[in-house]
Amino acid sequence: MGLKPFKFFNAWFSNKECSSLIRKELDEIGGRKGRILGKLRKLKCALRKWNEENSNVLEKRIKEIEERIQILDVESDKRELIVLELEELRRLKLDLRESMKLKESIWRQKSRMSGLKEGDSNMVFFHRAVKFKAKRKMMNRMKIGNS
């Protein structure tokens, strides 16, 4: 089957660890001397290792935020929340929104990659099938009563 192709996700740039890792690796790889292909391979290996170590961090973060929001919601049903708890709840909701945007960005990019891999011809087939189905469902005339 061969090696899995390396895919870089744009959402990684929002992670400060990834940006600093790229800078560090490029500094260690060296200056202008040497082949660029070898340097990119080393960077790819470092990024792949970083991604394997941090792949579930986003999911865990979302789960932790949702659990804490749930706890605060239950508390708000029992009593009125204090100012610090209200601020924490607001901050958690903002963090959750940002984390969900990041997750959505990753999935959006993954879906485009699979679409590109299948090729444009598949899209043409899909659009033809949809148009054909729509034409088949269209009514040209209607008969009411005996006329």
Side-chain angles (χ1 to χ4, degrees):
M1 183 164 180
L3 296 173
K4 288 193 324 186
F6 176 74
K7 296 175 179 122
F8 185 87
F9 296 104
N10 298 334
W12 290 353
F13 278 126
S14 65
N15 190 324
K16 292 176 184 174
E17 288 179 29
C18 181
S19 299
S20 63
L21 174 75
I22 292 171
R23 257 188 230 101
K24 184 183 126 210
E25 288 297 319
L26 289 177
D27 288 343
E28 286 179 9
I29 290 171
R32 297 181 182 185
K33 293 181 181 178
R35 303 186 86 180
I36 188 107
L37 188 60
K39 293 177 181 182
L40 289 175
R41 277 194 188 124
K42 288 180 182 178
L43 181 60
K44 177 180 78 170
C45 290
L47 284 170
R48 187 172 272 162
K49 182 180 177 186
W50 174 83
N51 185 43
E52 287 173 4
E53 292 170 356
N54 295 299
S55 61
N56 291 328
V57 171
L58 182 62
E59 289 295 325
K60 288 178 185 175
R61 177 79 179 134
I62 290 172
K63 187 176 178 182
E64 288 171 0
I65 291 171
E66 287 175 338
E67 288 173 355
R68 182 64 184 150
I69 289 173
Q70 181 68 28
I71 290 169
L72 288 173
D73 282 342
V74 169
E75 284 296 314
S76 70
D77 290 342
K78 295 177 185 175
R79 63 175 173 81
E80 194 169 322
L81 297 178
I82 62 173
V83 175
L84 290 176
E85 290 172 327
L86 290 171
E87 288 177 12
E88 180 187 9
L89 185 61
R90 187 181 58 77
R91 184 186 50 80
L92 286 170
K93 287 181 179 181
L94 287 173
D95 288 349
L96 181 62
R97 188 178 309 130
E98 290 300 316
S99 298
M100 294 302 279
K101 280 183 187 177
L102 192 62
K103 183 178 176 182
E104 182 183 342
S105 168
I106 291 170
W107 280 107
R108 191 179 309 119
Q109 191 173 355
K110 281 183 179 183
S111 71
R112 283 190 200 129
M113 285 178 184
S114 64
L116 289 173
K117 189 169 40 174
E118 292 167 5
D120 288 342
S121 60
N122 191 29
M123 292 299 288
V124 170
F125 169 77
F126 172 75
H127 286 290
R128 281 186 187 155
V130 169
K131 283 182 181 179
F132 178 74
K133 192 172 185 178
K135 282 182 182 179
R136 199 174 58 203
K137 288 184 173 183
M138 189 168 50
M139 282 193 284
N140 294 325
R141 60 191 132 152
M142 217 174 184
K143 183 177 180 183
I144 301 173
N146 292 332
S147 48

